[in-house]
Amino acid sequence: MFKRLMTAVLGTRHERERKRIQPIVDEINEHYARLQTVSEAELRGQTGKLRGIIRERTGELEAAIASLREQKRNAAAPGERDRLDNELSGPDGRGGREGELREATAEVLDEILPEAFATVREAARRLLGTTVQVTGHDLTWDMVPYDVQLMGGIQLHLGKIAEMATGEGKTLVATLPLYLNALPGKGAHLVTVNSYLARRDSQWMGHLYTYLGLTVGCIDDTEPGTPQRRAAYLCDITYGTNNEFGFDYLRDNMVPSLEQRVQRGHNFAIVDEVDSVLIDEARTPLIISGPVGGDDSDGAYFAHNAAVGRLVRKQTELVNQLVADGERALEKGDTREASLAFYKARLGSPKNKRLLKVMQEPGVKSLIQKMELDHIADRKLSASKQEFGDLEEDLLFVLDEKGHSVHLTDRGVDFMSPEDHEAFVLPDISEQVHHLERDHSLSAAERLQRKRDIEIEYATKSETLNIVHQLLRAHALYEKDVNYVVLEGQVHIVDEFTGRTMPGRRW
């Protein structure tokens, strides 16, 4: 009743939001009416005019930041570099002179938004009836943003989600904030869900951007790591798919020199189909590997492959036994014991054929799910109160099918290395170094050598564990012709969302 009363007095949230941005829409329309009377040269000159306003307001800060970066590059002392770092970005990485520049740029963009949006609207009106080639077909430009689309553009500029039904023109709406945020010259990205849309929209909306003097690129039209890919990122506005943007970021963090990076700073982005990109597809992480190498790197995998194969076969026997125990408990009516056995079996091998068959029986799946919830709740308790502390002791390794992760149990470590349990256990490097620092019997040179030995031991064991875990994933998680296919001697990963192969991608 109170909610209905408040809505009657103040209006719905949608109505309040519309009233809040209506004055901005009115100001856009005032500029729009004025721009209809200017010449074509003046309209095209709007981009240069608006960029001049931004430079005037932010030029001093840009120059100060450029000077600080140059000083940092030339600074020899670590203390001096730290001081310059703090002055540039602040102690938390969000302040400093760079933070001041972001705030100043945001302020001036908010001020020029009405004129910038009006410029795009008038350019769209003047392009009516012109022809643009999109993905090999001629299309006639027939779009001018309505007031409601201006509202959508304002919301996107403010970093909010704008929901629009199919056919309401979200492709056109995006041009308004993209144009505005491309004016500082630091790039604006449109992230979409498939390469066809990226190519189509970059060519279609590019007709409008190029009319106003902006450059447009599409990363999906180029090969990764090429000068053409870098050129696409250097455009004022760049279209592309979420995976390509993500993998380019990962590749840029693996290059040996800054000159080989293709992306520049991340300034502004609009995400199309945001629920799909940031929720559905985000469940699958983007993972990239470095150069594979030759026989030397493969040799380490071959050295452990036989042992991992035996480990997986032994685990299969254990899981089959657990499933059999669960079936017997179920026949006796002991649902608690049955669900515990089935849950352990699923932790050890979620794709075990015997387990999957049992899970088809009525009520079994819900028993396992209830046990999983009990286990999750139990892990939040203190160690003395936990009921399932030894749940994994019957297994050699535990698999997380959704997270594509695996870890060896203590029993699995003993199976892999019965003579030396520590061979597959990572040392606590921080504790070892701490004890080393407090050992005053060592000279500085001896302490340094011991530190290096600790680091080498850690790196060696870490690499070995990584190899074993990768082999376990290959043996126990990934199925041929389901998760991957082999074509002409090459492994091609299958995208779980589209069912298409992804050449060049690796786990």
Side-chain angles (χ1 to χ4, degrees):
M1 181 178 174
F2 176 75
K3 186 177 179 181
R4 288 200 299 271
L5 179 62
M6 292 296 292
T7 301
V9 175
L10 301 175
T12 64
R13 182 180 176 183
H14 172 76
E15 289 167 346
R16 294 196 301 273
E17 190 67 18
R18 185 184 61 77
K19 287 178 182 178
R20 188 181 70 82
I21 63 176
Q22 187 60 49
I24 303 174
V25 175
D26 294 340
E27 195 175 347
I28 293 171
N29 285 325
E30 289 175 14
H31 282 288
Y32 178 56
R34 174 181 61 81
L35 289 172
Q36 287 180 336
T37 65
V38 305
S39 67
E40 185 170 345
E42 285 180 276
L43 181 63
R44 289 174 180 264
Q46 279 288 109
T47 299
K49 173 192 167 184
L50 296 172
R51 281 183 157 168
I53 295 171
I54 296 170
R55 281 194 300 270
E56 185 180 336
R57 294 277 293 276
T58 62
E60 289 185 14
L61 275 171
E62 292 272 16
I65 289 170
S67 173
L68 287 170
R69 286 175 178 165
E70 183 62 28
Q71 291 176 50
K72 182 184 170 184
R73 276 193 294 271
N74 297 327
E80 177 66 8
R81 286 199 296 272
D82 289 342
R83 183 190 69 78
L84 291 167
D85 243 347
N86 280 337
E87 192 172 348
L88 269 169
S89 54
D92 60 353
R94 299 179 181 180
R97 304 310 295 270
E98 291 176 343
E100 292 175 29
L101 178 61
R102 284 193 294 272
E103 290 176 8
T105 304
E107 187 178 322
V108 70
L109 287 179
D110 288 347
E111 289 177 16
I112 66 173
L113 182 150
E115 188 171 357
F117 276 33
T119 300
V120 175
R121 194 179 200 183
E122 175 57 16
R125 188 188 69 83
R126 296 197 186 191
L127 287 173
L128 287 172
T130 59
T131 301
V132 56
Q133 191 169 80
V134 179
T135 62
H137 301 89
D138 287 339
L139 291 180
T140 301
W141 183 272
D142 59 355
M143 298 178 289
V144 179
Y146 293 103
D147 281 3
V148 69
Q149 292 173 312
L150 298 177
M151 291 179 180
I154 293 168
Q155 298 291 54
L156 290 175
H157 169 70
L158 296 174
K160 298 182 179 181
I161 295 173
E163 183 179 4
M164 301 180 69
T166 302
E168 290 186 348
K170 62 181 180 180
T171 306
L172 182 64
V173 168
T175 62
L176 298 157
L178 282 175
Y179 173 78
L180 173 64
N181 285 275
L183 291 173
K186 296 179 181 178
H189 297 163
L190 191 291
V191 185
T192 189
V193 290
N194 65 61
S195 36
Y196 169 75
L197 288 177
R199 293 187 179 98
R200 185 201 71 178
D201 294 352
S202 65
Q203 295 168 20
W204 196 10
M205 300 301 111
H207 188 52
L208 180 60
Y209 300 131
T210 52
Y211 178 86
L212 290 170
L214 296 183
T215 55
V216 188
C218 176
I219 59 174
D220 288 67
D221 282 335
T222 64
E223 291 296 320
T226 61
Q228 292 78 16
R229 177 67 61 98
R230 181 174 175 81
Y233 278 112
L234 289 173
C235 290
D236 293 310
I237 296 170
T238 305
Y239 283 75
T241 53
N242 52 312
N243 280 347
E244 287 303 315
F245 279 116
F247 276 115
D248 280 339
Y249 176 80
L250 295 178
R251 292 185 194 102
D252 279 357
N253 279 276
M254 297 173 69
V255 295
S257 66
L258 293 176
E259 291 73 25
Q260 290 177 277
R261 289 185 172 180
V262 295
Q263 291 188 349
R264 47 178 172 163
H266 302 107
N267 175 49
F268 178 83
I270 293 175
V271 183
D272 185 21
E273 302 285 0
V274 67
D275 53 342
S276 174
V277 172
L278 296 186
I279 299 176
D280 299 336
E281 294 201 29
R283 288 179 57 199
T284 303
L286 300 180
I287 301 172
I288 195 168
S289 70
V292 176
D295 294 337
D296 291 342
S297 61
D298 290 342
Y301 284 91
F302 285 118
H304 295 284
N305 188 47
V308 171
R310 290 194 297 272
L311 183 77
V312 172
R313 287 193 292 274
K314 181 63 176 177
Q315 175 98 324
T316 302
E317 293 175 12
L318 294 173
V319 169
N320 285 338
Q321 184 60 50
L322 283 167
V323 175
D325 292 344
E327 288 176 312
R328 283 193 292 270
L330 206 59
E331 288 174 3
K332 295 176 182 177
D334 189 347
T335 56
R336 176 72 175 177
E337 191 63 30
S339 60
L340 185 60
F342 291 144
Y343 179 55
K344 283 183 183 179
R346 200 178 75 168
L347 286 176
S349 181
K351 294 185 177 182
N352 180 276
K353 291 180 180 178
R354 187 168 178 178
L355 174 64
L356 293 175
K357 185 177 179 180
V358 171
M359 287 177 67
Q360 300 299 318
E361 296 179 13
V364 172
K365 192 171 184 180
S366 60
L367 280 176
I368 297 174
Q369 289 171 339
K370 185 178 183 304
M371 180 58 66
E372 182 178 18
L373 292 173
D374 289 347
H375 184 211
I376 292 170
D378 185 67
R379 282 187 294 187
K380 295 178 181 178
L381 300 174
S382 63
S384 60
K385 295 180 180 179
Q386 286 182 354
E387 183 183 353
F388 303 112
D390 59 349
L391 191 65
E392 299 176 1
E393 283 189 3
D394 293 335
L395 302 169
L396 301 173
F397 56 88
V398 175
L399 289 165
D400 177 4
E401 188 177 11
K402 289 183 180 178
H404 293 279
S405 63
V406 60
H407 72 266
L408 286 170
T409 64
D410 285 344
R411 188 175 175 184
V413 169
D414 289 336
F415 185 92
M416 290 290 293
S417 180
E419 304 296 329
D420 181 13
H421 181 83
E422 299 300 315
F424 290 94
V425 178
L426 285 178
D428 187 341
I429 193 169
S430 59
E431 184 180 350
Q432 289 185 344
V433 171
H434 175 69
H435 287 308
L436 194 61
E437 293 291 348
R438 298 178 65 183
D439 188 350
H440 301 295
S441 65
L442 299 173
S443 67
E446 289 173 329
R447 189 175 289 111
L448 181 61
Q449 184 58 48
R450 293 277 185 90
K451 280 185 181 179
R452 287 175 179 167
D453 292 341
I454 291 170
E455 290 168 356
I456 290 170
E457 180 193 9
Y458 184 88
T460 303
K461 287 187 175 181
S462 179
E463 177 63 21
T464 301
L465 267 177
N466 177 61
I467 289 169
V468 169
H469 287 162
Q470 294 282 36
L471 286 167
L472 277 172
R473 289 189 189 98
H475 280 281
L477 272 179
Y478 299 127
E479 294 183 45
K480 184 181 177 183
D481 297 328
V482 176
N483 304 107
Y484 67 94
V485 295
V486 179
L487 301 173
E488 298 179 355
Q490 297 291 320
V491 174
H492 292 253
I493 295 172
V494 176
D495 189 310
E496 65 175 297
F497 295 102
T498 65
R500 297 173 181 170
T501 59
M502 300 187 290
R505 303 280 171 84
R506 294 178 58 84
W507 279 311

